[in-house]
Amino acid sequence: MAIYARWERSWTLTGTLVARPDSRVAPLTSSEIEILGYRLRVIAPHEILAPLRQRLAVPTGCVDAGRAGYALTISVTPAADHPGYFLVVQDGQAPAMIPRESIARHLEWLVHAAAIGKLRRRHLLLHAGAVAWGDAGFILCASSGSGKSTLTAGLVAGGFQYLSDEVAALDPDSLMMQPYPRPICVKAGSREALAAHYPALADEQPELRSD
């Protein structure tokens, strides 16, 4: 089922260096993310934040540093007694120990889970793909595994602008759709259908999403 809605841009992301007194540990980088007015910050070594920023698939923008704090801060530090692992802490909660190979994927999941939990309080969130043509947005509603991401990727290859393959957010007052971009999740069965449009898929290694 497709739903028509007007759309507007909604993501910003910036990065700054945070000094650390212990020179034996790599400096931490802070990335501030704003999603539809919900602000959060991730503090982590650059080697961790660089792939996270890439996975979030958001354009670089500017966040007003003078505005009051963040709704959530996620901190990532190397686990001193467990090489190859990182401790992930959300605003003073008990830390989770995550292996290096899973840390960027885990942080991506944390960011989206926290944002969606907050955004559903003031937006209508639909589990859907979303694309735009000009100023017209199209919401592609369907159940999991029915081909939303495949259709979304095909439309993008045909010239549509990508907004989301997971969440379409509608402002309940204006009914404007605001994009929630995530990397498109292409399942194994869709590779053949999309191969002509995305040749690089043939060389991509499959991975499990944290959600």
Side-chain angles (χ1 to χ4, degrees), residues 108-198:
E108 178 192 7
W109 175 79
L110 284 181
V111 167
H112 288 305
I116 289 173
K118 294 289 186 181
L119 294 175
R120 62 164 48 106
R121 300 177 184 179
R122 60 178 184 272
H123 289 82
L124 173 61
L125 301 183
L126 302 176
H127 180 215
V131 295
W133 188 272
D135 63 355
F138 299 88
I139 303 172
L140 311 172
C141 301
S143 58
S144 296
S146 59
K148 292 189 308 299
S149 297
T150 305
L151 176 57
T152 299
L155 290 172
V156 170
F160 282 75
Q161 184 165 355
Y162 175 61
L163 304 185
S164 183
D165 84 324
E166 190 77 15
V167 178
L170 286 173
D171 184 304
D173 297 322
S174 66
L175 295 183
M176 291 284 287
M177 180 171 64
Q178 298 172 307
Y180 195 109
R182 298 182 61 176
I184 297 179
C185 178
V186 177
K187 298 182 176 67
S190 299
R191 290 192 175 201
E192 184 177 350
L194 295 172
H197 302 294
Y198 301 95

Side-chain angles (χ1 to χ4, degrees), residues 47-56 74 76 86 88 98-113 182-183 185 205-211:
E47 63 176 299
I48 302 303
L49 271 185
L52 173 64
R53 291 165 65 94
Q54 188 175 37
R55 293 179 72 92
L56 288 175
I74 301 172
V76 181
F86 292 86
V88 180
I98 308 297
R100 179 185 298 274
E101 61 270 19
S102 302
I103 187 66
R105 187 165 64 246
H106 180 75
L107 289 174
E108 178 192 7
W109 175 79
L110 284 181
V111 167
H112 288 305
R182 298 182 61 176
C185 178
Q205 295 299 313
E207 66 174 45
L208 294 175
R209 289 206 320 198
S210 296
D211 57 349

Side-chain angles (χ1 to χ4, degrees), residues 10-27:
S10 60
W11 279 70
T12 58
L13 182 151
T14 60
T16 55
L17 186 67
V18 176
R20 186 184 180 96
D22 188 348
S23 60
R24 296 170 299 175
V25 181

